[in-house]
Amino acid sequence: MELLRKWLGHPEDIYNLLRFKMGGYRAVMPRMDTDSLGCGLRTCYRYLNQTSRSFAAVIQALDGELRHAVCIFYLVLRALDTVEDDMSIPLDVKVPMLHEFHSHLYQPDWKYTESKEKDRQVLEDFPTISMEFRNLSKIYQDVISDICHKMGVGMAEFLEKKVDSQREWDKYCHYVAGLVGIGLSRLFSASELEDSIVGQDTDLANSMGLFLQKTNIIRDYLEDQLEGREFWPREVWSRYAKKLSDLAKPENIDVAVQCLNELITNALHHVPDVLTYLSRLRNQSVFNFCAIPQVMAIATLAACYNNQQVFRGVVKIRKGQAVTLMMDATSIQAVKAIMYQYVEEIYQKIPSTDPSSNKTQQVIASIRAMSLPGSPMASRHHYSPIYLSCAMLLAALSWQYLSTLSKATEEYVQAGEN
């Protein structure tokens, strides 16, 4: 019944969950025909589905040959990331592996069979991935190899040092996510589905990645603490505590939330770049691919802002909310309206005593200026009494059915994945 009460408070969630489940998702994620693919590509898409259901769905919705290029790009970087994450690999082995990993793309027989990580199949069967990489057009190969090289060098740099300053936080996020944004943008332009400026403007592409990565780092404070990882910049948290782990102590909750709000304010500075980037996209499949994670991120930040729960457990947006975002974020006007809605939600929660309150208000003002509501999307959460009554009745009749949504659908709409 708790699930029913949540839905009754958000009738748009129940409506969009039904719409999504009954075929609406195909407008965002058209089905891909895998029967026509060669054995190697089918294997690659199987690995893609095994390592990330959500990325698999949006990648497979991309148009033309770009779909295969992005699939291989993802798997190559997943393999690289698996090396970085594997704590069983000694540093004297791991550092050279990260530096040289891009060269293995051109070595048909290279593989690594000693990983202990859950995604080790992308290393154990790297010859299949590298073969399909070499089957791509050279223009795609050059982008993937270059980004893989730069990311490997960056990952090696941060293996033995923690993120200290805010400048280093930006640098770390650039290596692990900004470069992904840059690489994807170059692939979009190489495919000719997007103009050349999309791939050339690396600052905007970098911001796309930084916004997502910072959101993940902010939200995952407790999970990272429990696993012995620290990604919050010392320059910020040291003003609030002696150790980063101290923020999780109940007696420090007030200063912990202030630190949280400062980092969210930092992340919000990337939103204007995100809106500018998205405004340049012309291909619908590329736009959906890029926009959906960004609107998930702003909704996640709104849920985390001034929220003590970040230091006590997991903060996630509702599944119905995630589905609504996926279904709505199909145009720049809609995305602007969504951004406007969530920064307004943050604005309403700014404590007058918060040390970052002025900066938060300023960055929200800049986002407002770029996303003033000018379409029906801006008021899409205002419902008539008749609609509310019907939706609530529908919720009451359907809640049990929807609680058994397929595992694939549930995993896709989890807001927590990159």
Side-chain angles (χ1 to χ4, degrees):
M1 292 304 293
E2 178 61 27
L3 182 61
L4 175 58
R5 281 192 292 270
K6 287 182 179 179
W7 281 340
L8 290 177
H10 300 278
E12 72 277 12
D13 286 2
I14 189 76
Y15 171 74
N16 283 306
L17 275 167
L18 279 171
R19 190 158 61 103
F20 185 84
K21 183 63 177 175
M22 295 174 70
Y25 61 94
R26 288 300 174 202
V28 182
M29 296 174 292
R31 187 187 301 275
M32 187 185 78
D33 177 19
T34 57
D35 294 340
S36 61
L37 302 179
C39 180
L41 266 180
R42 282 202 306 272
T43 299
C44 287
Y45 279 104
R46 187 174 77 249
Y47 292 154
L48 179 65
N49 278 284
Q50 290 171 352
T51 55
S52 175
R53 287 183 183 274
S54 60
F55 276 121
V58 290
I59 288 173
Q60 290 174 115
L62 288 168
D63 290 339
E65 62 183 16
L66 176 63
R67 178 189 306 143
H68 301 328
V70 174
C71 173
I72 300 305
F73 185 43
Y74 175 87
L75 291 177
V76 168
L77 297 188
R78 172 60 70 182
L80 179 66
D81 190 56
T82 301
V83 171
E84 183 203 24
D85 287 343
D86 195 333
M87 302 305 292
S88 69
I89 304 176
L91 282 180
D92 61 340
V93 175
K94 184 182 291 190
V95 170
M97 279 186 72
L98 292 174
H99 277 276
E100 299 165 7
F101 197 86
H102 68 290
S103 66
H104 302 320
L105 291 167
Y106 300 97
Q107 298 167 3
D109 298 325
W110 185 90
K111 59 184 176 180
Y112 186 74
T113 58
E114 299 175 28
S115 176
K116 310 300 181 186
E117 292 292 297
K118 62 180 178 65
D119 293 331
R120 58 184 175 273
Q121 74 268 24
V122 295
L123 290 171
E124 293 172 346
D125 192 19
F126 197 75
T128 297
I129 297 171
S130 67
M131 176 184 69
E132 293 303 329
F133 163 82
R134 293 188 298 277
N135 286 338
L136 295 172
S137 299
K138 186 176 184 301
I139 193 168
Y140 296 131
Q141 291 184 36
D142 290 347
V143 172
I144 295 171
S145 177
D146 180 52
I147 296 299
C148 182
H149 184 201
K150 290 175 179 175
M151 187 176 289
V153 171
M155 286 176 168
E157 179 182 337
F158 278 90
L159 278 178
E160 295 185 280
K161 74 175 185 179
K162 295 182 177 180
V163 178
D164 192 7
S165 66
Q166 293 185 68
R167 182 184 294 272
E168 284 185 336
W169 197 36
D170 281 357
K171 188 176 184 181
Y172 171 77
C173 291
H174 164 74
Y175 282 138
V176 300
L179 282 171
V180 179
I182 291 170
L184 286 169
S185 300
R186 289 170 60 187
L187 292 177
F188 298 157
S189 294
S191 72
E192 298 185 354
L193 293 177
E194 298 295 345
D195 294 338
S196 59
I197 186 62
V198 172
Q200 293 168 357
D201 195 334
T202 56
D203 287 341
L204 292 188
N206 187 59
S207 278
M208 292 282 286
L210 263 61
F211 185 58
L212 299 182
Q213 185 66 21
K214 287 181 178 181
T215 298
N216 290 340
I217 288 173
I218 291 166
R219 180 204 58 201
D220 293 342
Y221 165 85
L222 191 61
E223 177 185 328
D224 288 338
Q225 281 292 300
L226 293 175
E227 297 188 11
R229 301 188 297 257
E230 294 190 354
F231 298 113
W232 284 25
R234 178 187 296 271
E235 181 184 343
V236 176
W237 65 254
S238 63
R239 293 198 290 269
Y240 301 91
K242 291 183 179 179
K243 295 186 297 182
L244 182 56
S245 59
D246 288 345
L247 295 178
K249 296 178 179 179
E251 62 269 25
N252 294 329
I253 193 62
D254 290 339
V255 293
V257 169
Q258 291 175 356
C259 181
L260 168 70
N261 291 347
E262 181 172 346
L263 290 181
I264 289 175
T265 300
N266 177 295
L268 288 174
H269 281 88
H270 297 292
V271 173
D273 279 355
V274 168
L275 292 174
T276 301
Y277 180 97
L278 293 175
S279 70
R280 290 176 173 173
L281 301 181
R282 298 292 176 262
N283 178 271
Q284 188 65 56
S285 73
V286 172
F287 185 90
N288 294 348
F289 178 90
C290 294
I292 290 172
Q294 301 296 331
V295 296
M296 296 285 193
I298 191 67
T300 300
L301 288 184
C304 289
Y305 185 81
N306 209 48
N307 189 348
Q308 298 180 1
Q309 186 61 24
V310 172
F311 304 95
R312 297 170 178 164
V314 180
V315 175
K316 291 183 178 179
I317 61 176
R318 303 180 309 277
K319 286 184 174 66
Q321 182 182 6
V323 164
T324 298
L325 291 170
M326 288 169 50
M327 304 278 285
D328 286 350
T330 56
S331 70
I332 187 60
Q333 292 81 12
V335 170
K336 286 181 177 181
I338 291 168
M339 291 290 187
Y340 187 92
Q341 172 192 338
Y342 284 108
V343 296
E344 283 298 302
E345 185 176 313
I346 292 172
Y347 184 83
Q348 296 301 321
K349 296 192 289 186
I350 299 174
S352 59
T353 57
D354 191 275
S356 303
S357 61
N358 288 337
K359 290 182 179 179
T360 310
Q361 291 169 355
Q362 289 170 7
V363 69
I364 286 177
S366 67
I367 298 170
R368 279 172 172 165
M370 293 187 68
S371 56
L372 287 173
S375 70
M377 286 297 302
S379 58
R380 70 189 192 284
H381 291 301
H382 295 286
Y383 298 92
S384 70
I386 292 177
Y387 172 85
L388 287 171
S389 298
C390 292
M392 291 171 71
L393 176 61
L394 183 61
L397 294 173
S398 308
W399 74 273
Q400 188 171 13
Y401 163 71
L402 283 171
S403 67
T404 60
L405 284 173
S406 68
K407 181 179 178 182
T409 300
E410 287 192 350
E411 288 192 9
Y412 184 80
V413 300
Q414 289 287 348
E417 192 149 14
N418 304 344

